[in-house]
Amino acid sequence: MQKSFKIDDLNIKYDIIHRKVKYWRLEIKYGKLVLITPQGFKNYEKILEKHKKWIYRKLIEYETSKNDAKEKQLNFNRSEENFREIINEYVQKFSNELNVRVNRVYFRKMKSRWGSCSSKRNISINRYLIYLPENLIEYLVFHEMAHLIELNHSKKFWAIIHSKFPDYKEIEKELSIYWFAVRETIIDKH
């Protein structure tokens, strides 16, 4: 169900999705605000009002990343074989550094994330990473492997990330910008 509310002069449209979840959450999906709530939840306006600064900031970040993506150059010269070698080298390196073991590495085309880590110790890498600079690939592999220690994005998780990448917030912004570059150049063209 789509609704709207105002933040200053902006009329923000949002979707409400009811799911079998314990707690509500706000997401920005493709530039649109989504409120995911437990079944029967009705207190939308209170949540939106309480979090309007976060919503506004996230929508601005979305638009900024989208605009900055126009300046990014994708790497079309890396072979699939070379890409997999790079990933496997970083998995080996970070296995030793973090003292963790990866069960399996999967390569998938994903439309909403760069990678994921399962509780079964499997890591999925988005095949679209092939087009990104190697420093972002390195960060992404470390990020997913850190989830082998801390499965969620807790303070402990970000402390692990910070230990290797003190500038991780800037790297996360770069990944967001590159996401738009990949989407507009490759994903949306197919």
Side-chain angles (χ1 to χ4, degrees), residues 139 143 154-155 157-175:
Y139 171 82
H143 180 112
S154 65
K155 285 183 181 179
F157 171 82
W158 290 113
I160 295 165
I161 297 298
H162 185 267
S163 71
K164 177 86 174 164
F165 297 94
D167 60 341
Y168 74 89
K169 289 181 182 178
E170 289 304 311
I171 296 170
E172 289 281 339
K173 284 182 189 173
E174 278 294 293
L175 283 169

Side-chain angles (χ1 to χ4, degrees), residues 11 32 84 89 91 93 106 109 117 127 157 169 173 177:
N11 191 30
K32 184 187 262 186
R84 287 174 183 259
E89 285 172 14
V91 166
K93 177 184 175 186
Y106 294 96
K109 287 186 178 179
C117 178
R127 293 179 64 197
F157 171 82
K169 289 181 182 178
K173 284 182 189 173
I177 293 166

